[in-house]
Amino acid sequence: MRAPHRRLLDDPWSRHFVEHPALRVVLTNRWLAGAAVRVFDRRWGGLHAHIVLRARFTDDVCAAAIGEGIDQLVLLGAGFDTTSLRNAQASVTIFEVDAHTTQAAKRPTAERLLPAPRAGHIVWIPCDLEQDNLRDRLLAGGFAPQRRSLVVWLGVSMYLTADAIEATLGDLATLCAPGSRLVADYVDTAVVTGDSRWAGARRIARVVAARGEPYRSGFTASGLDALLAAHGFTVRDHAGVTELLHRYDPTRAGGLAADDWLGVVCAERTGR
């Protein structure tokens, strides 16, 4: 349970990556922002809670890992996620992995926001997980496989093919030293097949498909645990939306919907 004085997520940097004029206006007004969140949450129940709380979950894992001496953080499909900025003061090298076009749009703003002495703590690794060899790209960027690492893989697996997911986990199995951690999230298999009992999940699946980025891969909780185990990762924590809300916001003070069609795991590399 979170402390009463603590926000669900402390992230003052995300707003700097919002470019749409209408969204920027919304962010300048607390009432408008709150109304927009309520509409979003009503339309796609569970998604907003998951996006916010998977970041909080990840921040907790990052803090624990860094506290234990892990000094390599890999962000797979980093997009405009601000994990690197939220950990700017930590003694950790961060490898941001994503398509070159996304990095070209993100990098100038990210480097402007970073404290000057820490601007070099991010290593930008252009990589398409459907086409490129992740292992080769990370090694070329200076990743040290003999040292423990934390890999964060959020908002990506549902857009990848099964082959790309297998290849990525295979690469991580050879790259991650024992004791390394992996944080990953996923959508339920029924969302991908169109059989989800959650109306919001069915709606968002149609939205992303119409946008040209359909959900391609989903998992059951037990299925994902088994897949990770097959690649040498033992799941240490596994939470769906309901569990995340219970853990971080049991009173649901923000009124976030608990539609339970997404999940996040933390796994540890337990073998080579």
Side-chain angles (χ1 to χ4, degrees), residues 176-189:
C176 296
S180 296
R181 314 286 167 74
L182 168 65
V183 174
D185 72 338
Y186 65 98
V187 299
D188 186 82
T189 302

Side-chain angles (χ1 to χ4, degrees), residues 129-145:
L129 295 180
E130 288 284 353
Q131 301 179 15
D132 299 322
N133 186 297
L134 173 64
R135 183 179 186 279
D136 290 349
R137 294 293 175 93
L138 279 173
L139 291 176
F143 180 86

Side-chain angles (χ1 to χ4, degrees), residues 7-265:
R7 297 164 60 92
L8 290 176
L9 179 65
D10 295 313
D11 185 2
W13 296 277
S14 292
R15 62 186 178 86
H16 295 282
F17 298 98
V18 177
E19 296 184 348
H20 194 288
L23 292 177
R24 292 186 69 87
V25 170
V26 168
L27 289 175
T28 63
N29 184 290
R30 179 171 296 194
W31 184 89
L32 286 176
V37 166
R38 287 190 292 274
V39 170
F40 185 98
D41 206 42
R42 190 178 303 115
R43 184 72 177 164
W44 301 299
L47 182 59
H48 181 241
H50 176 74
I51 290 172
V52 172
L53 296 180
R54 74 183 181 188
R56 171 62 186 276
F57 179 97
T58 301
D59 281 356
D60 289 351
V61 174
C62 281
I66 292 169
E68 294 172 17
I70 290 177
D71 62 358
Q72 297 184 113
L73 174 57
V74 180
L75 305 178
L76 289 184
F80 291 91
D81 175 83
T82 60
T83 298
S84 56
L85 294 168
R86 298 199 302 275
N87 290 277
Q89 302 299 335
S91 298
V92 58
T93 300
I94 299 178
F95 299 86
E96 288 231 7
V97 180
D98 210 336
H100 172 74
T101 52
T102 301
Q103 292 189 338
K106 179 183 184 179
R107 185 171 179 174
T109 300
E111 292 186 337
R112 173 173 59 82
L113 295 172
L114 283 167
R118 298 296 294 153
H121 87 309
I122 298 180
V123 180
W124 301 89
I125 308 289
C127 181
D128 183 333
L129 295 180
E130 288 284 353
Q131 301 179 15
D132 299 322
N133 186 297
L134 173 64
R135 183 179 186 279
D136 290 349
R137 294 293 175 93
L138 279 173
L139 291 176
F143 180 86
Q146 71 274 15
R147 301 209 311 268
R148 292 182 302 158
S149 56
L150 168 61
V151 179
V152 176
W153 195 15
L154 299 178
V156 180
S157 69
M158 57 286 295
Y159 298 105
L160 295 178
T161 61
D163 286 345
I165 291 172
E166 282 282 355
T168 300
L169 288 173
D171 284 340
L172 293 179
T174 66
L175 284 167
C176 296
S180 296
R181 314 286 167 74
L182 168 65
V183 174
D185 72 338
Y186 65 98
V187 299
D188 186 82
T189 302
V191 180
V192 180
T193 61
D195 301 320
S196 176
R197 67 188 180 95
W198 301 107
R202 297 194 300 271
R203 289 192 193 103
I204 194 64
R206 291 194 294 269
V207 168
V208 297
R211 197 173 59 189
E213 295 180 304
Y215 289 152
R216 293 176 171 177
S217 296
F219 298 94
T220 62
S222 59
L224 181 58
D225 288 358
L227 176 63
L228 293 174
H231 289 279
F233 288 92
T234 301
V235 172
R236 300 302 190 195
D237 196 0
H238 196 149
V241 174
T242 299
E243 167 59 25
L244 289 172
L245 282 166
H246 177 76
R247 185 179 303 184
Y248 293 117
D249 192 21
T251 63
R252 290 198 211 162
L256 298 179
D259 295 7
D260 216 346
W261 51 278
L262 304 116
V264 61
V265 301

